[in-house]
Amino acid sequence: MIPFNIPPKTGNELNYIKQAIQSDKLCGDGPFSKKCEFWIEENFNTAKALLTPSCTAALELAAILIDIKEGDEVIMPSYTFVSTANAFVLRGAKIIFVDIRSDTMNIDESLIEAAITNKTKAIVPVHYAGVACEMDTILAIAEKHDLWVVEDAAQGVMSTYKGKALGTLGHIGCYSFHETKNYSSGGEGGAILINDPKLVERAEIIREKGTNRSQFLHGIVDKYTWQDIGSSFLPSELQAAYLYAQLEAADTINNFRLSIWERYYNKLSLKLKAEQLPHIPDSLTHNAHMFYIKLSSNEERSEFISYMKAQDITTPFHYIPLHSSPAGKQFGGFIGHDHYTTQESSKLVRLPLYYGMIKADQNKVINVSLEFFA
Ligand SMILES: *Cc1c(COP(=O)(O)O)cnc(C)c1O
């Protein structure tokens, strides 16, 4: 069976995990955590990067940091993972879903302004498949209406928009290092990027159970106390050690994934129309997080998945639009028309793509797909 994903491995993970064990410093914010955070800050240019146990945790930290309260409204696409919405619902927000663009599956920036009310607090663009949302427009709307922008860049590590790393464009960016993402910290992991320097101090307090332990460790205060609400948003050093081995090989992993993506695109574009294939706008680079195709209908998608499965190839789909789910109905509402969210998501299917995927398997995916369309 060709799986849809195999977690990335570079070969250095065990060595670094062993070093972490031998250092006898296994709790959060040890040497490997610092190395990873420094790597992100240097390579992506953010005021402060902090590792978190997941992207879900990073989003939850972000919602606390921007003071989301009961009755606030937060705008996002419905075509996303549940954590994008949950993090804000946990603080009492109502989620306002707006439609996506059919070409990138990202939030349609032209529909955001109509969804803003005097209760709106934040916009949460999700960079689907590691392809950037139209950030200039989104940031201009946010500035005009005095709103926070929290990027869900779970899939966007190593992608750029007009030369800037995804996750560094809004006030806050959230990364995932889950094993299904391009870089993993041993199964589960994430990071929060604090791009607005004014938010850094409080972010560190919230992440350390609401205490100023971070300032204490830096020698800024001589004892640490409870300052604010907070939780434990620190991953262990074992996770950071695993992640560091991946970040060091970030270019290698990125180039490998991009080469598979290009092969898929070049071969499948012989049979498929442009609107059935991923669209990469001019002003950005992507990280080959995902290769998807769109079938002509939901029925044809089921046929495709069965056809591929019969040839031992796993081709999953996702997401059930949040506004049509039980919790989405309870905690949110769709504003405007659902032209594309339901329709396009019901036709999309993902092809296997992972670091280390052998050429023979790539060829098989291409050939069996082409056979289906022949
Ligand atoms: C994977 C993902 C998340 C959640 O990431 P975890 O690290 O698993 O918590 C959130 N949003 C999007 C868009 C994702 O793809």
Side-chain angles (χ1 to χ4, degrees):
M1 200 77 192
I2 300 178
F4 127 84
N5 179 60
I6 293 179
K9 295 178 204 83
T10 67
N12 265 334
E13 290 84 356
L14 266 179
N15 178 24
Y16 289 162
I17 287 173
K18 201 165 146 199
Q19 281 181 37
I21 294 171
Q22 285 167 347
S23 76
D24 287 329
K25 288 190 186 69
L26 289 176
C27 69
D29 281 345
F32 278 107
S33 298
K34 293 290 161 208
K35 279 184 183 197
C36 291
E37 290 168 356
F38 185 72
W39 190 96
I40 293 171
E41 287 162 12
E42 285 289 291
N43 284 280
F44 299 151
N45 192 22
T46 172
K48 190 81 204 166
L50 298 165
L51 296 190
T52 57
S54 62
C55 182
T56 301
L59 288 159
E60 288 174 16
L61 203 171
I64 299 173
L65 188 55
I66 61 170
D67 274 321
I68 295 294
K69 297 209 167 57
E70 193 75 39
D72 288 346
E73 293 179 358
V74 177
I75 296 173
M76 63 180 66
S78 169
Y79 185 66
T80 183
F81 187 61
V82 291
S83 296
T84 320
N86 251 330
F88 298 91
V89 170
L90 280 167
R91 313 306 311 160
K94 179 175 182 201
I95 307 301
I96 305 298
F97 297 114
V98 306
D99 208 9
I100 52 170
R101 297 162 48 141
S102 63
D103 58 352
T104 57
M105 303 298 281
N106 281 334
I107 191 166
D108 185 337
E109 66 281 358
S110 72
L111 303 175
I112 293 174
E113 207 155 20
I116 294 174
T117 70
N118 57 11
K119 292 182 181 159
T120 309
K121 230 8 212 305
I123 305 170
V124 185
V126 178
H127 305 299
Y128 183 70
V131 175
C133 297
E134 204 35 76
M135 289 305 289
D136 278 352
T137 309
I138 294 172
L139 293 172
I141 294 169
E143 176 142 28
K144 180 173 160 200
H145 295 273
D146 199 17
L147 304 174
W148 295 106
V149 176
V150 177
E151 296 173 72
D152 182 339
Q155 304 176 10
V157 182
M158 290 286 281
S159 293
T160 64
Y161 173 82
K162 299 191 179 172
K164 291 183 184 164
L166 299 194
T168 68
L169 295 136
H171 301 94
I172 300 171
C174 300
Y175 283 171
S176 175
F177 299 121
H178 186 264
E179 68 172 33
T180 54
K181 301 303 194 312
N182 293 22
Y183 309 94
S184 164
S185 49
E188 302 281 349
I192 187 165
L193 277 60
I194 312 292
N195 305 315
D196 180 344
K198 292 190 292 294
L199 296 173
V200 172
E201 189 180 325
R202 188 158 176 256
E204 291 186 323
I205 288 173
I206 295 165
R207 180 166 168 270
E208 269 284 12
K209 300 94 181 168
T211 74
N212 55 351
R213 183 159 185 271
S214 170
Q215 291 172 303
F216 170 73
L217 293 175
H218 287 111
I220 299 165
V221 294
D222 59 10
K223 55 179 179 295
Y224 76 88
T225 58
W226 189 19
Q227 305 280 324
D228 201 335
I229 61 165
S231 190
S232 179
F233 290 117
L234 293 82
S236 113
E237 270 290 279
L238 297 180
Q239 286 165 286
Y242 193 107
L243 178 61
Y244 194 60
Q246 308 247 312
L247 294 180
E248 276 188 332
D251 282 323
T252 308
I253 294 176
N254 198 40
N255 291 334
F256 193 102
R257 297 186 71 104
L258 281 165
S259 73
I260 303 177
W261 196 101
E262 299 287 345
R263 291 192 75 216
Y264 281 174
Y265 194 93
N266 292 336
K267 301 284 184 191
L268 293 174
S269 60
L270 300 173
K271 272 271 178 286
L272 296 176
K273 297 188 213 95
E275 61 263 31
Q276 292 182 281
L277 293 164
H279 169 71
I280 312 294
D282 285 339
S283 50
L284 54 90
T285 63
H286 73 110
N287 60 1
H289 172 61
M290 194 191 300
F291 195 94
Y292 64 79
I293 59 173
K294 290 182 187 169
L295 285 298
S296 63
S297 65
N298 189 246
E299 293 70 39
E300 197 190 17
R301 177 174 76 178
S302 302
E303 287 164 23
F304 180 82
I305 292 171
S306 307
Y307 191 84
M308 299 299 275
K309 193 174 168 211
Q311 304 271 351
D312 295 328
I313 302 169
T314 318
T315 55
F317 64 82
H318 68 174
Y319 307 105
I320 308 297
L322 297 183
H323 74 283
S324 57
S325 65
K329 285 178 189 155
Q330 186 180 349
F331 301 117
F334 200 99
I335 296 292
H337 282 291
D338 173 7
H339 283 302
Y340 296 120
T341 300
T342 300
Q343 178 191 302
E344 297 301 302
S345 64
S346 72
K347 302 192 297 198
L348 181 146
V349 66
R350 304 170 67 176
L351 301 186
L353 195 169
Y354 48 87
Y355 180 59
M357 183 176 187
I358 59 170
K359 265 238 162 87
D361 286 350
Q362 299 173 28
N363 290 340
K364 186 173 173 187
V365 171
I366 292 166
N367 293 336
V368 178
S369 302
L370 289 175
E371 254 169 57
F372 177 85
F373 290 106

